[in-house]
Amino acid sequence: MTGTPSGAHRRVSTATAVGRDDTRLVVIRGNSASGKSSVAQGLRDHYGRGIAVVGQDVIRRNVLREHDTARGANIALLGRIAREALNAGFHVVLEGILYADRYSHLITSLVRDHRGVSRCYYLDVPLESTFVRHASKADAAYLTEVTDSHLASWYRELDLLPGGLETVIPADSTLQDTAARIMGETDLAAASPIPPPQCKPSRGDSMNPLVLMSDPRVAAITVRECGEPLVDVRDHSFRVDPRKQDPLGAFAHVREGVLARLENARSLLPAGTDLLFIEGYRPLALQQHYFTEYRNELASAHPGWTAEQLHQAASRYVSPPEIAPHSAGAAVDVTLVDQDGHELDLGTRVNAFQVGAATKLATGWYAAGRDGAGRRGRLRAGTALIARGEFSVVIIGLAGPAQDRLGALVTTYVMLLAVCGPVLTRFAPTRATAPLPATVAGPASGPHDRRPQ
């Protein structure tokens, strides 16, 4: 007897949909000592990291320590764990006795709502064989606690789910054969996470000019209150980074419509990756602080700039407070992480901005001058910054993939900075200086980084 696979070709209600198109849901059922846990572990051993094994015994017996009844709390909890794991980009193996009359709704609703491929298996092992397998277990305490009488009382012959949903695997199928069969039929081997493709526009494509948040066309757009409430993403199973956390938790709030779009974007990610939420709503006073702070830094570095030039330049990185979408709960800062929560290498760190050799030289020149250094000392400080790679790598990360010919040029540019910086510093003129005082006052560091628009 074989079941019918369920996959991404079905239309799934967006209200209850879980997982991604390339996540896999595997349900393994059978009587006690039929090999369910061993098969689940075998799948994980074959596939590697990225599979969440949701075991009925672990949740019901170890976590909740409740009896298996039709009204058990473990039924809903199993479903919730499986759904959250699928939404986070894990493949899920749900295993247990999972009696059909108690757990069929849980399983069928999971299969119905899963966007990716779902397969259900029933391990058909005769009662006598379960006695033999049970006796071979190494856990002496478990063997004392669970006897053959228990196995017999729990045993149900071919306790199948309704609708022919399951594939029945006979007792003569070895552990290796069963795991290999499930891997093949679910295409788990091909479901391994792959890096998202990088967009490479053709040479004939032209990029639209950058529209800044300070552009009059942006300011002219009428803003109306939409009436959507602010919701806390921490209540919706998102990974949330604490780096921008505030005492009131405002940073984790977004408009309801933004949350829906985030959930949709998350569902389109490949298995093995997830969104990391960093900041949403930002009080107007904080937005004003970010903008003013950055504008003042630009004014110090470029004393000849007019107020309009400073406003425009600051708007390239921080939205002017009067039109900032963060202050309306309508914008979010996110990045991508793997299943361990490690940020993926997207070419730049979060909130990085491009700095070239000239900017580095000017920054060092200004900073050294503020501390009273002469012309030679300021030059040496500026050249010392040129080789700093954390800014240079931003350039190659953003510009490199855009054009094939540009990639080689940018790579060469970054290498030249790395080589020429130390050389220029080495031969920059120096002079004897008096010993430094015991303490040197440095620039104050705030509790936050600058934030993008």
Short mmCIF file of all heavy atoms in Angstrom, two decimals, residues 325-364:
data_model
loop_
_atom_site.label_atom_id
_atom_site.label_comp_id
_atom_site.label_asym_id
_atom_site.label_seq_id
_atom_site.Cartn_x
_atom_site.Cartn_y
_atom_site.Cartn_z
N PRO A 325 10.46 56.53 7.30
CA PRO A 325 9.47 55.45 7.41
C PRO A 325 9.60 54.65 8.70
O PRO A 325 8.62 54.08 9.17
CB PRO A 325 9.76 54.58 6.17
CG PRO A 325 11.17 54.89 5.79
CD PRO A 325 11.39 56.32 6.16
N HIS A 326 10.81 54.60 9.28
CA HIS A 326 10.97 53.87 10.54
C HIS A 326 10.08 54.47 11.63
O HIS A 326 9.56 53.74 12.49
CB HIS A 326 12.43 53.90 11.00
CG HIS A 326 13.27 52.80 10.44
ND1 HIS A 326 13.17 51.49 10.84
CD2 HIS A 326 14.24 52.82 9.49
CE1 HIS A 326 14.03 50.74 10.19
NE2 HIS A 326 14.70 51.52 9.35
N SER A 327 9.94 55.77 11.63
CA SER A 327 9.17 56.43 12.68
C SER A 327 7.67 56.24 12.51
O SER A 327 6.89 56.66 13.37
CB SER A 327 9.51 57.93 12.71
OG SER A 327 10.88 58.11 13.02
N ALA A 328 7.28 55.62 11.40
CA ALA A 328 5.87 55.28 11.20
C ALA A 328 5.64 53.78 11.36
O ALA A 328 4.53 53.30 11.15
CB ALA A 328 5.42 55.73 9.80
N GLY A 329 6.70 53.04 11.70
CA GLY A 329 6.57 51.59 11.79
C GLY A 329 6.44 50.93 10.44
O GLY A 329 5.96 49.80 10.33
N ALA A 330 6.86 51.64 9.39
CA ALA A 330 6.66 51.17 8.02
C ALA A 330 7.94 50.69 7.36
O ALA A 330 7.96 50.43 6.16
CB ALA A 330 6.04 52.28 7.17
N ALA A 331 9.03 50.57 8.12
CA ALA A 331 10.29 50.09 7.56
C ALA A 331 10.96 49.17 8.57
O ALA A 331 10.75 49.29 9.77
CB ALA A 331 11.21 51.27 7.24
N VAL A 332 11.74 48.25 8.05
CA VAL A 332 12.46 47.31 8.92
C VAL A 332 13.89 47.16 8.43
O VAL A 332 14.18 47.30 7.25
CB VAL A 332 11.79 45.92 8.94
CG1 VAL A 332 10.44 45.98 9.61
CG2 VAL A 332 11.67 45.33 7.54
N ASP A 333 14.77 46.86 9.37
CA ASP A 333 16.14 46.48 9.05
C ASP A 333 16.25 44.99 9.33
O ASP A 333 16.02 44.54 10.46
CB ASP A 333 17.14 47.24 9.92
CG ASP A 333 17.10 48.74 9.66
OD1 ASP A 333 16.70 49.13 8.56
OD2 ASP A 333 17.45 49.51 10.57
N VAL A 334 16.60 44.23 8.31
CA VAL A 334 16.73 42.78 8.46
C VAL A 334 18.00 42.33 7.74
O VAL A 334 18.57 43.05 6.92
CB VAL A 334 15.52 42.01 7.87
CG1 VAL A 334 14.25 42.33 8.64
CG2 VAL A 334 15.35 42.31 6.38
N THR A 335 18.44 41.13 8.05
CA THR A 335 19.51 40.49 7.30
C THR A 335 19.21 39.00 7.26
O THR A 335 18.18 38.56 7.79
CB THR A 335 20.90 40.77 7.92
OG1 THR A 335 21.92 40.31 7.03
CG2 THR A 335 21.05 40.09 9.27
N LEU A 336 20.07 38.22 6.63
CA LEU A 336 19.86 36.78 6.50
C LEU A 336 20.81 36.03 7.42
O LEU A 336 21.95 36.45 7.61
CB LEU A 336 20.09 36.33 5.05
CG LEU A 336 19.11 36.83 4.00
CD1 LEU A 336 19.50 36.32 2.62
CD2 LEU A 336 17.69 36.42 4.33
N VAL A 337 20.33 34.93 7.99
CA VAL A 337 21.14 34.09 8.87
C VAL A 337 20.96 32.64 8.48
O VAL A 337 20.01 32.26 7.79
CB VAL A 337 20.74 34.28 10.36
CG1 VAL A 337 21.07 35.68 10.84
CG2 VAL A 337 19.26 33.97 10.57
N ASP A 338 21.91 31.80 8.95
CA ASP A 338 21.74 30.37 8.76
C ASP A 338 20.93 29.82 9.92
O ASP A 338 20.44 30.57 10.77
CB ASP A 338 23.10 29.66 8.62
CG ASP A 338 23.97 29.81 9.87
OD1 ASP A 338 23.44 30.12 10.96
OD2 ASP A 338 25.20 29.61 9.76
N GLN A 339 20.79 28.49 9.98
CA GLN A 339 19.92 27.91 10.99
C GLN A 339 20.47 28.01 12.40
O GLN A 339 19.74 27.79 13.37
CB GLN A 339 19.62 26.45 10.62
CG GLN A 339 18.70 26.35 9.41
CD GLN A 339 18.53 24.94 8.92
OE1 GLN A 339 19.38 24.10 9.13
NE2 GLN A 339 17.44 24.69 8.24
N ASP A 340 21.75 28.36 12.53
CA ASP A 340 22.32 28.58 13.85
C ASP A 340 22.25 30.06 14.26
O ASP A 340 22.75 30.43 15.32
CB ASP A 340 23.78 28.12 13.89
CG ASP A 340 23.90 26.61 13.78
OD1 ASP A 340 23.06 25.92 14.38
OD2 ASP A 340 24.81 26.12 13.09
N GLY A 341 21.67 30.89 13.39
CA GLY A 341 21.57 32.30 13.69
C GLY A 341 22.79 33.11 13.30
O GLY A 341 22.87 34.29 13.63
N HIS A 342 23.74 32.50 12.58
CA HIS A 342 24.94 33.23 12.14
C HIS A 342 24.61 34.05 10.89
O HIS A 342 24.05 33.50 9.93
CB HIS A 342 26.08 32.26 11.85
CG HIS A 342 26.49 31.46 13.04
ND1 HIS A 342 26.81 30.12 12.97
CD2 HIS A 342 26.61 31.79 14.36
CE1 HIS A 342 27.12 29.67 14.17
NE2 HIS A 342 27.01 30.67 15.02
N GLU A 343 24.98 35.31 10.89
CA GLU A 343 24.69 36.17 9.75
C GLU A 343 25.44 35.70 8.51
O GLU A 343 26.63 35.38 8.59
CB GLU A 343 25.04 37.62 10.07
CG GLU A 343 24.17 38.21 11.17
CD GLU A 343 24.49 39.66 11.46
OE1 GLU A 343 24.99 40.35 10.52
OE2 GLU A 343 24.27 40.11 12.59
N LEU A 344 24.75 35.65 7.39
CA LEU A 344 25.36 35.25 6.14
C LEU A 344 26.22 36.40 5.59
O LEU A 344 25.94 37.57 5.84
CB LEU A 344 24.30 34.86 5.11
CG LEU A 344 23.36 33.72 5.51
CD1 LEU A 344 22.44 33.37 4.34
CD2 LEU A 344 24.14 32.48 5.93
N ASP A 345 27.23 36.03 4.83
CA ASP A 345 28.11 37.02 4.24
C ASP A 345 27.43 37.59 3.00
O ASP A 345 27.40 36.97 1.95
CB ASP A 345 29.45 36.38 3.86
CG ASP A 345 30.44 37.39 3.29
OD1 ASP A 345 30.08 38.59 3.24
OD2 ASP A 345 31.54 36.99 2.89
N LEU A 346 26.87 38.78 3.13
CA LEU A 346 26.19 39.43 2.02
C LEU A 346 27.05 40.51 1.38
O LEU A 346 26.56 41.34 0.63
CB LEU A 346 24.86 40.03 2.50
CG LEU A 346 23.89 39.04 3.16
CD1 LEU A 346 22.61 39.76 3.57
CD2 LEU A 346 23.56 37.90 2.21
N GLY A 347 28.34 40.50 1.69
CA GLY A 347 29.25 41.47 1.10
C GLY A 347 29.58 42.63 2.02
O GLY A 347 30.62 43.25 1.90
N THR A 348 28.67 42.94 2.95
CA THR A 348 28.91 44.00 3.92
C THR A 348 28.30 43.59 5.25
O THR A 348 27.42 42.74 5.31
CB THR A 348 28.25 45.34 3.51
OG1 THR A 348 26.83 45.23 3.69
CG2 THR A 348 28.56 45.70 2.08
N ARG A 349 28.78 44.21 6.33
CA ARG A 349 28.13 44.00 7.61
C ARG A 349 26.83 44.81 7.63
O ARG A 349 26.60 45.68 6.78
CB ARG A 349 29.04 44.44 8.75
CG ARG A 349 29.41 45.91 8.71
CD ARG A 349 30.30 46.30 9.89
NE ARG A 349 30.74 47.68 9.78
CZ ARG A 349 30.02 48.72 10.15
NH1 ARG A 349 28.81 48.54 10.64
NH2 ARG A 349 30.49 49.95 10.02
N VAL A 350 25.98 44.54 8.59
CA VAL A 350 24.73 45.29 8.73
C VAL A 350 25.04 46.76 8.97
O VAL A 350 25.88 47.10 9.80
CB VAL A 350 23.89 44.72 9.88
CG1 VAL A 350 22.65 45.58 10.12
CG2 VAL A 350 23.48 43.30 9.58
N ASN A 351 24.37 47.64 8.20
CA ASN A 351 24.51 49.09 8.31
C ASN A 351 25.85 49.62 7.86
O ASN A 351 26.25 50.72 8.24
CB ASN A 351 24.26 49.57 9.75
CG ASN A 351 22.89 49.18 10.24
OD1 ASN A 351 21.96 49.11 9.45
ND2 ASN A 351 22.78 48.90 11.52
N ALA A 352 26.59 48.84 7.07
CA ALA A 352 27.86 49.34 6.55
C ALA A 352 27.60 50.40 5.49
O ALA A 352 26.56 50.44 4.87
CB ALA A 352 28.68 48.20 5.96
N PHE A 353 28.59 51.27 5.28
CA PHE A 353 28.47 52.25 4.21
C PHE A 353 29.81 52.35 3.51
O PHE A 353 30.85 52.03 4.07
CB PHE A 353 28.01 53.62 4.73
CG PHE A 353 28.92 54.22 5.76
CD1 PHE A 353 29.83 55.20 5.40
CD2 PHE A 353 28.86 53.82 7.09
CE1 PHE A 353 30.66 55.76 6.35
CE2 PHE A 353 29.69 54.37 8.04
CZ PHE A 353 30.59 55.35 7.67
N GLN A 354 29.77 52.80 2.25
CA GLN A 354 30.98 52.79 1.43
C GLN A 354 31.90 53.95 1.80
O GLN A 354 31.49 55.08 1.95
CB GLN A 354 30.60 52.92 -0.05
CG GLN A 354 29.79 51.74 -0.54
CD GLN A 354 29.55 51.82 -2.02
OE1 GLN A 354 30.42 52.24 -2.77
NE2 GLN A 354 28.39 51.40 -2.45
N VAL A 355 33.17 53.60 1.92
CA VAL A 355 34.20 54.60 2.19
C VAL A 355 35.36 54.33 1.25
O VAL A 355 35.85 53.21 1.17
CB VAL A 355 34.69 54.54 3.64
CG1 VAL A 355 35.78 55.55 3.88
CG2 VAL A 355 33.53 54.78 4.59
N GLY A 356 35.82 55.35 0.53
CA GLY A 356 36.94 55.18 -0.38
C GLY A 356 38.22 55.71 0.21
O GLY A 356 38.26 56.21 1.34
N ALA A 357 39.29 55.64 -0.56
CA ALA A 357 40.60 56.06 -0.07
C ALA A 357 40.59 57.55 0.30
O ALA A 357 41.15 57.94 1.33
CB ALA A 357 41.66 55.78 -1.13
N ALA A 358 39.92 58.36 -0.51
CA ALA A 358 39.91 59.80 -0.23
C ALA A 358 39.20 60.10 1.08
O ALA A 358 39.66 60.94 1.87
CB ALA A 358 39.23 60.54 -1.39
N THR A 359 38.06 59.40 1.31
CA THR A 359 37.32 59.63 2.55
C THR A 359 38.14 59.18 3.76
O THR A 359 38.14 59.83 4.80
CB THR A 359 35.99 58.87 2.51
OG1 THR A 359 35.31 59.22 1.31
CG2 THR A 359 35.13 59.23 3.71
N LYS A 360 38.82 58.04 3.63
CA LYS A 360 39.65 57.56 4.73
C LYS A 360 40.77 58.56 5.04
O LYS A 360 41.07 58.85 6.20
CB LYS A 360 40.24 56.20 4.39
CG LYS A 360 39.21 55.09 4.21
CD LYS A 360 39.90 53.81 3.79
CE LYS A 360 38.90 52.71 3.49
NZ LYS A 360 39.55 51.47 3.08
N LEU A 361 41.40 59.06 3.98
CA LEU A 361 42.48 60.02 4.16
C LEU A 361 41.97 61.28 4.86
O LEU A 361 42.58 61.80 5.79
CB LEU A 361 43.10 60.37 2.80
CG LEU A 361 44.31 61.31 2.81
CD1 LEU A 361 45.46 60.68 3.59
CD2 LEU A 361 44.74 61.63 1.39
N ALA A 362 40.77 61.74 4.41
CA ALA A 362 40.21 62.95 5.00
C ALA A 362 39.83 62.73 6.45
O ALA A 362 40.02 63.62 7.31
CB ALA A 362 38.98 63.39 4.19
N THR A 363 39.30 61.54 6.75
CA THR A 363 38.90 61.24 8.13
C THR A 363 40.11 61.25 9.06
O THR A 363 40.09 61.83 10.15
CB THR A 363 38.19 59.88 8.20
OG1 THR A 363 37.03 59.92 7.35
CG2 THR A 363 37.76 59.55 9.62
N GLY A 364 41.17 60.55 8.65
CA GLY A 364 42.38 60.53 9.46
C GLY A 364 43.01 61.91 9.61
O GLY A 364 43.49 62.28 10.70
#
